[in-house]
Structure formats: C-alpha cells, structure tokens
Amino acid sequence: NNNSEYVFLLDQKMLEKLSLRAKSGRYKDVVAEYKVEQSVYGSKFYSKIIEAGKDKFKKFIDNGYGMDDTYYRTYLKTTDINGAEIGLIVIGEEIENSGGFVNIADNMTKTVTMVALGLIISILLFMF
C-alpha cells in the first residue's frame, strides 16, 4: 500500500528443512545467513539490501531500522511455533513517497521548529 514493500528473509539454517523441490534454484543469498525466494518478491527492494553489504546490514539489525538513498526499512524477527527464529520480515517504503514515514517526520520536524521560533519571536516582542 502506498509504495510500501516487504520481503521475507529466510534464515539459512532453516533452508535444510525445506524439500529439495521447494528450494532448488529458488533461493538467493542476500547477506550474512539470510536467503530470499527470488521468484516471489520484486528484486528492486531486496537488491538494495544486497548492495549495502554485510556491515550496513549488521548496523540495520542493531538499530532496528535503516535508510539508504531509496528506502526506509525496518524488520520483525519471525519465529516458528516452537520459538525457533526462522527469518526476518523486512518492511520498507520509498523515501520519495510524499505520504511516507520519512517525509511525514521531516514535515513534522519543520513544523515544530517553525512553531517554536514563532513563540520565541512573540515572547521577545511582548518583552519590549
């Protein structure tokens, strides 16, 4: 919805639990120990994760969110019924999206700054 995208990154250790037919040629390495089923998702979103490399991906995981020149991303760890981690759901949206999170936060920051400056100026005017 509204240029938002998502991708499920499967933990490599869970790949062995899939049948040979289910995994043959379908999964592509993303970064570190995660793989993606390339036929299901658009490659533009997850290819930006691949391009960023391992260091930026680790920083993304540590921070809980990440941003590059195209997308703002966050993730949710996914577990199976036994509580074992099976992968990550990475959710993101384009930065250029006018109704997107990044632009809304930017507009809110600008508005709060303008209101604060207006209050300061009005206080200074009333002092004289």
Side-chain angles (χ1 to χ4, degrees):
N1 197 9
N2 296 333
N3 294 327
S4 297
E5 296 193 37
Y6 75 97
V7 65
F8 176 73
L9 302 179
L10 182 68
D11 198 327
Q12 189 168 353
K13 65 185 175 206
M14 291 295 148
L15 196 61
E16 66 189 33
K17 302 204 185 288
L18 296 175
S19 69
L20 287 174
R21 195 171 115 203
K23 65 181 173 184
S24 62
R26 289 183 166 177
Y27 287 87
K28 178 179 181 178
D29 289 335
V30 178
V31 284
E33 65 273 359
Y34 294 102
K35 295 189 174 279
V36 66
E37 188 174 1
Q38 57 190 353
S39 63
V40 176
Y41 305 103
S43 64
K44 182 180 175 186
F45 185 63
Y46 71 80
S47 66
K48 285 296 213 174
I49 298 172
I50 295 170
E51 287 174 14
K54 290 181 182 180
D55 294 334
K56 286 202 176 190
F57 186 76
K58 184 176 179 346
K59 189 175 179 181
F60 165 67
I61 296 297
D62 292 341
N63 290 339
Y65 68 94
M67 204 165 75
D68 59 21
D69 60 338
T70 309
Y71 291 102
Y72 168 81
R73 290 184 200 86
T74 188
Y75 74 94
L76 177 68
K77 289 185 179 183
T78 309
T79 57
D80 67 1
I81 197 164
N82 297 322
E85 185 179 321
I86 59 172
L88 303 173
I89 297 175
V90 181
I91 305 165
E93 67 181 10
E94 292 185 20
I95 293 173
E96 298 299 320
N97 185 5
S98 63
F101 175 75
V102 174
N103 285 329
I104 290 172
D106 186 44
N107 290 339
M108 192 180 312
T109 304
K110 289 178 183 174
T111 303
V112 168
T113 304
M114 292 302 291
V115 168
L117 286 174
L119 287 172
I120 291 170
I121 290 171
S122 66
I123 289 171
L124 288 173
L125 288 174
F126 285 122
M127 288 178 73
F128 296 109

